[in-house]
Amino acid sequence: MAKASREPKISAEEATARLRHAGLRPTRQRVELAGLLFQDGDRHVTAESLHDEVSGAGVKVSLATVYNTLHQFTEAGLLRQVIVDAARSYFDTNTGDHQHFFLEKEGLLIDIPGETIAVAGVPAPPPGLSVDRVDVVVRVRRN
Amino acid sequence: MAKASREPKISAEEATARLRHAGLRPTRQRVELAGLLFQDGDRHVTAESLHDEVSGAGVKVSLATVYNTLHQFTEAGLLRQVIVDAARSYFDTNTGDHQHFFLEKEGLLIDIPGETIAVAGVPAPPPGLSVDRVDVVVRVRRN
DNA sequence: CAACGAATTAGAACAATTCTAAACTGTGAG
DNA sequence: CTCACAGTTTAGAATTGTTCTAATTCGTTG
């Protein structure tokens, strides 16, 4: 009953290939984490939540490694960091152009596809600066 | 040369009035902090930066009080909290509708007036949720 | 001006994250 | 197949920003 309602992990082979592609050595831990993260389209994890998940799956990975891995994946373009909460960092497996709903009370992030929202009128940044990207966070609450 | 290039502090009387208006007891520390914060239109501070500033001005206020005060001011609607950096919280003296440029490397926030940016196409939130507000952060870098 | 509740404070405590130094493990060379 | 080495992992300590605690001090009202 309390079975995880998620698609089966991607295979170790797929994960390995993905890691090599990104220039990362496919270690046991990275393969394991990639397997969990990239099993389906959209996941939002924190270091803690991912650590709990991987631990719960009976795999031994230290929290430090989870942090390292999340950052390496992010640098490699496999993940994107989402800053919506002062308390913790979220990582999103959707690296494409999109935005988020955020339910602060529950730490819940929901993707909004990139084409859905249009941001018009962003002024030119002050001289010497250039736009890196535009983040939209739609903060919501339970009613 | 190294003189602060900021307008003179608002008077203690002004600050006091403002605090009373917001239903806050005008204590020495709150008057002092309000004096620094509301001297001109747009300021973006962190607890640390404000503490350094007030300390530098020779006033003795504990860091705990700065934190307390920033939160109380925020609750009272005198400040607005801005979440753009996983590492620290910013507080903005501009409580009106507006958005931000953010230069992460330097922790620099720049206001973008509310009318400037238009966000279109925000989808209805999932059932049971309602929109609290829409934040836009234009992340910029030095070039 | 007394008294009481509100505010301040130093320092401890906390949570998330990063660092450190030592042990371990992929990988490519031989 | 095995070695050696750079890259990785790890436990635990350290750091950072923030909150809490309990005792002291202060503003306000009577």
PDB file of all heavy atoms in Angstrom, chain A residues 114-134:
ATOM      1  N   GLY A 114       7.358  26.606 -19.768  1.00  0.00           N
ATOM      2  CA  GLY A 114       7.976  27.861 -20.197  1.00  0.00           C
ATOM      3  C   GLY A 114       7.117  28.724 -21.089  1.00  0.00           C
ATOM      4  O   GLY A 114       7.113  29.961 -20.967  1.00  0.00           O
ATOM      5  N   GLU A 115       6.368  28.092 -21.985  1.00  0.00           N
ATOM      6  CA  GLU A 115       5.581  28.879 -22.947  1.00  0.00           C
ATOM      7  C   GLU A 115       4.358  29.508 -22.294  1.00  0.00           C
ATOM      8  O   GLU A 115       3.775  30.458 -22.818  1.00  0.00           O
ATOM      9  CB  GLU A 115       5.086  28.013 -24.107  1.00  0.00           C
ATOM     10  CG  GLU A 115       5.988  26.870 -24.518  1.00  0.00           C
ATOM     11  CD  GLU A 115       5.901  25.702 -23.538  1.00  0.00           C
ATOM     12  OE1 GLU A 115       4.774  25.267 -23.245  1.00  0.00           O
ATOM     13  OE2 GLU A 115       6.959  25.241 -23.053  1.00  0.00           O
ATOM     14  N   THR A 116       3.964  28.966 -21.159  1.00  0.00           N
ATOM     15  CA  THR A 116       2.733  29.418 -20.520  1.00  0.00           C
ATOM     16  C   THR A 116       2.801  30.867 -20.083  1.00  0.00           C
ATOM     17  O   THR A 116       1.897  31.657 -20.331  1.00  0.00           O
ATOM     18  CB  THR A 116       2.444  28.547 -19.273  1.00  0.00           C
ATOM     19  OG1 THR A 116       2.626  27.198 -19.623  1.00  0.00           O
ATOM     20  CG2 THR A 116       1.050  28.802 -18.761  1.00  0.00           C
ATOM     21  N   ILE A 117       3.898  31.205 -19.430  1.00  0.00           N
ATOM     22  CA  ILE A 117       4.047  32.546 -18.879  1.00  0.00           C
ATOM     23  C   ILE A 117       4.885  33.422 -19.792  1.00  0.00           C
ATOM     24  O   ILE A 117       5.907  32.989 -20.313  1.00  0.00           O
ATOM     25  CB  ILE A 117       4.705  32.471 -17.482  1.00  0.00           C
ATOM     26  CG1 ILE A 117       3.708  31.901 -16.473  1.00  0.00           C
ATOM     27  CG2 ILE A 117       5.216  33.820 -17.049  1.00  0.00           C
ATOM     28  CD1 ILE A 117       4.204  31.992 -15.042  1.00  0.00           C
ATOM     29  N   ALA A 118       4.433  34.650 -19.973  1.00  0.00           N
ATOM     30  CA  ALA A 118       5.206  35.601 -20.762  1.00  0.00           C
ATOM     31  C   ALA A 118       5.558  36.801 -19.892  1.00  0.00           C
ATOM     32  O   ALA A 118       4.687  37.402 -19.279  1.00  0.00           O
ATOM     33  CB  ALA A 118       4.412  36.057 -21.978  1.00  0.00           C
ATOM     34  N   VAL A 119       6.831  37.090 -19.808  1.00  0.00           N
ATOM     35  CA  VAL A 119       7.260  38.255 -19.042  1.00  0.00           C
ATOM     36  C   VAL A 119       7.657  39.337 -20.030  1.00  0.00           C
ATOM     37  O   VAL A 119       8.587  39.157 -20.816  1.00  0.00           O
ATOM     38  CB  VAL A 119       8.460  37.919 -18.140  1.00  0.00           C
ATOM     39  CG1 VAL A 119       8.892  39.136 -17.364  1.00  0.00           C
ATOM     40  CG2 VAL A 119       8.118  36.771 -17.209  1.00  0.00           C
ATOM     41  N   ALA A 120       6.902  40.425 -20.020  1.00  0.00           N
ATOM     42  CA  ALA A 120       7.174  41.517 -20.960  1.00  0.00           C
ATOM     43  C   ALA A 120       7.680  42.735 -20.212  1.00  0.00           C
ATOM     44  O   ALA A 120       7.356  42.929 -19.046  1.00  0.00           O
ATOM     45  CB  ALA A 120       5.908  41.867 -21.724  1.00  0.00           C
ATOM     46  N   GLY A 121       8.500  43.510 -20.895  1.00  0.00           N
ATOM     47  CA  GLY A 121       8.908  44.782 -20.322  1.00  0.00           C
ATOM     48  C   GLY A 121      10.094  44.733 -19.394  1.00  0.00           C
ATOM     49  O   GLY A 121      10.341  45.678 -18.659  1.00  0.00           O
ATOM     50  N   VAL A 122      10.847  43.641 -19.418  1.00  0.00           N
ATOM     51  CA  VAL A 122      12.053  43.617 -18.594  1.00  0.00           C
ATOM     52  C   VAL A 122      13.000  44.695 -19.114  1.00  0.00           C
ATOM     53  O   VAL A 122      13.387  44.666 -20.276  1.00  0.00           O
ATOM     54  CB  VAL A 122      12.765  42.250 -18.653  1.00  0.00           C
ATOM     55  CG1 VAL A 122      14.082  42.290 -17.915  1.00  0.00           C
ATOM     56  CG2 VAL A 122      11.861  41.164 -18.094  1.00  0.00           C
ATOM     57  N   PRO A 123      13.321  45.651 -18.291  1.00  0.00           N
ATOM     58  CA  PRO A 123      14.168  46.753 -18.761  1.00  0.00           C
ATOM     59  C   PRO A 123      15.603  46.284 -18.969  1.00  0.00           C
ATOM     60  O   PRO A 123      15.999  45.247 -18.440  1.00  0.00           O
ATOM     61  CB  PRO A 123      14.090  47.754 -17.613  1.00  0.00           C
ATOM     62  CG  PRO A 123      13.737  46.967 -16.401  1.00  0.00           C
ATOM     63  CD  PRO A 123      12.954  45.773 -16.866  1.00  0.00           C
ATOM     64  N   ALA A 124      16.330  47.041 -19.756  1.00  0.00           N
ATOM     65  CA  ALA A 124      17.744  46.738 -19.927  1.00  0.00           C
ATOM     66  C   ALA A 124      18.412  46.890 -18.571  1.00  0.00           C
ATOM     67  O   ALA A 124      18.112  47.834 -17.835  1.00  0.00           O
ATOM     68  CB  ALA A 124      18.366  47.694 -20.924  1.00  0.00           C
ATOM     69  N   PRO A 125      19.291  45.969 -18.224  1.00  0.00           N
ATOM     70  CA  PRO A 125      19.958  46.110 -16.930  1.00  0.00           C
ATOM     71  C   PRO A 125      20.923  47.293 -16.952  1.00  0.00           C
ATOM     72  O   PRO A 125      21.295  47.756 -18.028  1.00  0.00           O
ATOM     73  CB  PRO A 125      20.712  44.787 -16.777  1.00  0.00           C
ATOM     74  CG  PRO A 125      20.757  44.158 -18.114  1.00  0.00           C
ATOM     75  CD  PRO A 125      19.677  44.759 -18.941  1.00  0.00           C
ATOM     76  N   PRO A 126      21.281  47.780 -15.793  1.00  0.00           N
ATOM     77  CA  PRO A 126      22.236  48.884 -15.707  1.00  0.00           C
ATOM     78  C   PRO A 126      23.499  48.550 -16.493  1.00  0.00           C
ATOM     79  O   PRO A 126      23.833  47.378 -16.638  1.00  0.00           O
ATOM     80  CB  PRO A 126      22.540  48.967 -14.213  1.00  0.00           C
ATOM     81  CG  PRO A 126      21.343  48.384 -13.539  1.00  0.00           C
ATOM     82  CD  PRO A 126      20.826  47.333 -14.472  1.00  0.00           C
ATOM     83  N   PRO A 127      24.185  49.562 -16.991  1.00  0.00           N
ATOM     84  CA  PRO A 127      25.379  49.355 -17.800  1.00  0.00           C
ATOM     85  C   PRO A 127      26.373  48.418 -17.110  1.00  0.00           C
ATOM     86  O   PRO A 127      26.587  48.505 -15.905  1.00  0.00           O
ATOM     87  CB  PRO A 127      25.972  50.753 -17.937  1.00  0.00           C
ATOM     88  CG  PRO A 127      25.002  51.706 -17.366  1.00  0.00           C
ATOM     89  CD  PRO A 127      23.863  50.968 -16.787  1.00  0.00           C
ATOM     90  N   GLY A 128      26.973  47.552 -17.890  1.00  0.00           N
ATOM     91  CA  GLY A 128      27.963  46.640 -17.334  1.00  0.00           C
ATOM     92  C   GLY A 128      27.366  45.327 -16.893  1.00  0.00           C
ATOM     93  O   GLY A 128      28.082  44.385 -16.563  1.00  0.00           O
ATOM     94  N   LEU A 129      26.038  45.254 -16.898  1.00  0.00           N
ATOM     95  CA  LEU A 129      25.377  44.029 -16.477  1.00  0.00           C
ATOM     96  C   LEU A 129      24.579  43.433 -17.630  1.00  0.00           C
ATOM     97  O   LEU A 129      24.056  44.167 -18.461  1.00  0.00           O
ATOM     98  CB  LEU A 129      24.429  44.314 -15.305  1.00  0.00           C
ATOM     99  CG  LEU A 129      25.055  44.933 -14.068  1.00  0.00           C
ATOM    100  CD1 LEU A 129      23.994  45.188 -13.008  1.00  0.00           C
ATOM    101  CD2 LEU A 129      26.157  44.035 -13.530  1.00  0.00           C
ATOM    102  N   SER A 130      24.507  42.107 -17.649  1.00  0.00           N
ATOM    103  CA  SER A 130      23.637  41.496 -18.647  1.00  0.00           C
ATOM    104  C   SER A 130      22.771  40.424 -18.011  1.00  0.00           C
ATOM    105  O   SER A 130      23.143  39.816 -17.013  1.00  0.00           O
ATOM    106  CB  SER A 130      24.467  40.929 -19.798  1.00  0.00           C
ATOM    107  OG  SER A 130      25.485  40.115 -19.274  1.00  0.00           O
ATOM    108  N   VAL A 131      21.635  40.230 -18.626  1.00  0.00           N
ATOM    109  CA  VAL A 131      20.642  39.332 -18.051  1.00  0.00           C
ATOM    110  C   VAL A 131      21.064  37.874 -18.194  1.00  0.00           C
ATOM    111  O   VAL A 131      21.427  37.420 -19.272  1.00  0.00           O
ATOM    112  CB  VAL A 131      19.272  39.519 -18.723  1.00  0.00           C
ATOM    113  CG1 VAL A 131      18.278  38.482 -18.213  1.00  0.00           C
ATOM    114  CG2 VAL A 131      18.762  40.924 -18.454  1.00  0.00           C
ATOM    115  N   ASP A 132      21.025  37.187 -17.100  1.00  0.00           N
ATOM    116  CA  ASP A 132      21.383  35.791 -17.069  1.00  0.00           C
ATOM    117  C   ASP A 132      20.133  34.961 -17.291  1.00  0.00           C
ATOM    118  O   ASP A 132      20.101  34.044 -18.085  1.00  0.00           O
ATOM    119  CB  ASP A 132      21.946  35.483 -15.685  1.00  0.00           C
ATOM    120  CG  ASP A 132      23.080  34.522 -15.751  1.00  0.00           C
ATOM    121  OD1 ASP A 132      24.051  34.821 -16.470  1.00  0.00           O
ATOM    122  OD2 ASP A 132      22.989  33.478 -15.097  1.00  0.00           O
ATOM    123  N   ARG A 133      19.124  35.271 -16.525  1.00  0.00           N
ATOM    124  CA  ARG A 133      17.829  34.654 -16.739  1.00  0.00           C
ATOM    125  C   ARG A 133      16.764  35.302 -15.872  1.00  0.00           C
ATOM    126  O   ARG A 133      17.073  36.002 -14.906  1.00  0.00           O
ATOM    127  CB  ARG A 133      17.887  33.163 -16.492  1.00  0.00           C
ATOM    128  CG  ARG A 133      17.763  32.777 -15.059  1.00  0.00           C
ATOM    129  CD  ARG A 133      17.840  31.269 -15.003  1.00  0.00           C
ATOM    130  NE  ARG A 133      17.277  30.729 -13.801  1.00  0.00           N
ATOM    131  CZ  ARG A 133      17.721  29.595 -13.252  1.00  0.00           C
ATOM    132  NH1 ARG A 133      18.717  28.968 -13.815  1.00  0.00           N
ATOM    133  NH2 ARG A 133      17.171  29.139 -12.176  1.00  0.00           N
ATOM    134  N   VAL A 134      15.532  35.048 -16.237  1.00  0.00           N
ATOM    135  CA  VAL A 134      14.409  35.659 -15.544  1.00  0.00           C
ATOM    136  C   VAL A 134      13.611  34.571 -14.839  1.00  0.00           C
ATOM    137  O   VAL A 134      13.103  33.662 -15.477  1.00  0.00           O
ATOM    138  CB  VAL A 134      13.502  36.411 -16.538  1.00  0.00           C
ATOM    139  CG1 VAL A 134      12.324  37.023 -15.807  1.00  0.00           C
ATOM    140  CG2 VAL A 134      14.302  37.481 -17.285  1.00  0.00           C
TER     141      VAL A 134
END
